[in-house]
Coordinates of all heavy atoms in Angstrom, one line a residue:
L189 N -0.2 -12.4 -0.6 CA 0.0 -12.7 -2.0 C 1.4 -12.6 -2.5 O 1.7 -12.6 -3.7 CB -0.9 -11.8 -2.8 CG -2.4 -11.7 -2.4 CD1 -3.2 -10.8 -3.3 CD2 -3.0 -13.1 -2.3
S190 N 2.4 -12.4 -1.6 CA 3.7 -12.1 -2.1 C 4.5 -13.3 -2.6 O 5.5 -13.1 -3.3 CB 4.5 -11.4 -1.0 OG 4.6 -12.1 0.2
N191 N 4.0 -14.5 -2.4 CA 4.7 -15.7 -2.9 C 4.1 -16.3 -4.1 O 4.5 -17.3 -4.6 CB 4.7 -16.8 -1.8 CG 5.9 -16.7 -1.0 OD1 6.8 -15.9 -1.3 ND2 5.9 -17.5 0.1
I192 N 3.1 -15.6 -4.7 CA 2.4 -16.3 -5.8 C 2.6 -15.5 -7.1 O 3.0 -14.3 -7.1 CB 0.9 -16.5 -5.5 CG1 0.2 -15.1 -5.3 CG2 0.7 -17.4 -4.4 CD1 -1.3 -15.3 -4.9
D193 N 2.4 -16.1 -8.3 CA 2.7 -15.5 -9.5 C 1.7 -14.3 -9.8 O 0.6 -14.2 -9.3 CB 2.7 -16.5 -10.7 CG 1.4 -17.0 -11.0 OD1 0.6 -16.3 -11.7 OD2 1.0 -18.2 -10.5
A194 N 2.2 -13.4 -10.7 CA 1.6 -12.1 -10.9 C 0.1 -12.3 -11.3 O -0.8 -11.5 -10.8 CB 2.3 -11.4 -12.0
R195 N -0.2 -13.2 -12.1 CA -1.6 -13.3 -12.6 C -2.6 -13.7 -11.5 O -3.6 -13.1 -11.3 CB -1.7 -14.4 -13.7 CG -2.9 -14.3 -14.6 CD -3.0 -15.4 -15.5 NE -4.4 -15.4 -16.0 CZ -4.7 -14.6 -17.1 NH1 -3.7 -13.9 -17.7 NH2 -5.9 -14.6 -17.6
L196 N -2.2 -14.7 -10.7 CA -3.0 -15.2 -9.6 C -3.1 -14.1 -8.5 O -4.1 -13.9 -7.9 CB -2.4 -16.5 -9.0 CG -3.1 -17.1 -7.9 CD1 -4.6 -17.4 -8.3 CD2 -2.4 -18.3 -7.4
R197 N -2.0 -13.4 -8.4 CA -1.9 -12.3 -7.4 C -3.0 -11.3 -7.7 O -3.7 -10.8 -6.9 CB -0.5 -11.7 -7.4 CG -0.3 -10.7 -6.3 CD 1.1 -10.4 -6.0 NE 1.8 -9.8 -7.1 CZ 2.9 -10.2 -7.6 NH1 3.6 -11.2 -7.1 NH2 3.5 -9.6 -8.6
Y198 N -3.1 -10.9 -9.0 CA -4.0 -9.9 -9.4 C -5.5 -10.4 -9.2 O -6.3 -9.7 -8.7 CB -3.8 -9.6 -10.9 CG -4.6 -8.5 -11.4 CD1 -4.3 -7.2 -11.1 CD2 -5.8 -8.7 -12.1 CE1 -5.0 -6.1 -11.5 CE2 -6.5 -7.6 -12.6 CZ -6.2 -6.4 -12.3 OH -7.0 -5.3 -12.7
E199 N -5.7 -11.7 -9.5 CA -7.0 -12.3 -9.4 C -7.4 -12.3 -7.9 O -8.5 -11.9 -7.5 CB -6.9 -13.7 -9.9 CG -8.1 -14.4 -10.4 CD -7.8 -15.8 -10.9 OE1 -7.2 -15.9 -11.9 OE2 -8.2 -16.7 -10.2
M200 N -6.5 -12.7 -7.0 CA -6.7 -12.8 -5.6 C -7.0 -11.5 -5.0 O -7.8 -11.3 -4.1 CB -5.6 -13.5 -4.9 CG -5.4 -15.0 -5.1 SD -6.9 -15.9 -4.6 CE -6.7 -15.7 -2.8
R201 N -6.3 -10.5 -5.5 CA -6.4 -9.1 -5.0 C -7.8 -8.6 -5.2 O -8.5 -8.1 -4.3 CB -5.4 -8.3 -5.8 CG -5.1 -6.9 -5.3 CD -4.6 -6.1 -6.4 NE -3.1 -6.2 -6.5 CZ -2.4 -5.5 -7.4 NH1 -3.0 -4.7 -8.2 NH2 -1.1 -5.6 -7.4
T202 N -8.3 -8.8 -6.4 CA -9.7 -8.4 -6.8 C -10.7 -9.1 -5.9 O -11.7 -8.6 -5.5 CB -10.0 -8.7 -8.3 OG1 -8.8 -8.6 -9.0 CG2 -11.1 -7.9 -8.8
W203 N -10.3 -10.4 -5.7 CA -11.2 -11.3 -5.0 C -11.3 -10.9 -3.5 O -12.4 -10.9 -2.9 CB -10.7 -12.7 -5.2 CG -11.6 -13.7 -4.6 CD1 -12.8 -14.2 -5.2 CD2 -11.5 -14.3 -3.4 NE1 -13.4 -15.1 -4.4 CE2 -12.6 -15.1 -3.2 CE3 -10.6 -14.2 -2.3 CZ2 -12.8 -15.9 -2.1 CZ3 -10.8 -14.9 -1.2 CH2 -11.9 -15.7 -1.1
I204 N -10.2 -10.5 -2.9 CA -10.2 -10.1 -1.5 C -11.0 -8.8 -1.3 O -11.8 -8.6 -0.4 CB -8.8 -9.9 -1.0 CG1 -8.1 -11.3 -0.8 CG2 -8.7 -9.2 0.4 CD1 -6.6 -11.3 -0.5
R205 N -10.9 -7.9 -2.3 CA -11.6 -6.7 -2.3 C -13.1 -7.0 -2.4 O -13.9 -6.4 -1.7 CB -11.1 -5.8 -3.5 CG -11.7 -4.5 -3.7 CD -11.0 -3.5 -2.8 NE -12.1 -2.7 -2.1 CZ -11.9 -1.7 -1.3 NH1 -10.7 -1.4 -0.9 NH2 -12.9 -1.1 -0.8
K206 N -13.5 -7.9 -3.2 CA -14.9 -8.3 -3.4 C -15.4 -8.9 -2.1 O -16.5 -8.6 -1.6 CB -15.0 -9.3 -4.5 CG -16.3 -9.2 -5.3 CD -16.4 -10.3 -6.4 CE -15.9 -9.8 -7.7 NZ -15.8 -10.9 -8.7

Side-chain angles (χ1 to χ4, degrees):
L189 309 182
S190 54
N191 268 351
I192 59 182
D193 69 78
R195 198 190 169 84
L196 180 59
R197 187 160 65 227
Y198 187 77
E199 204 179 290
M200 287 299 294
R201 193 200 270 185
T202 326
W203 186 82
I204 289 175
R205 184 79 228 181
K206 214 183 265 174

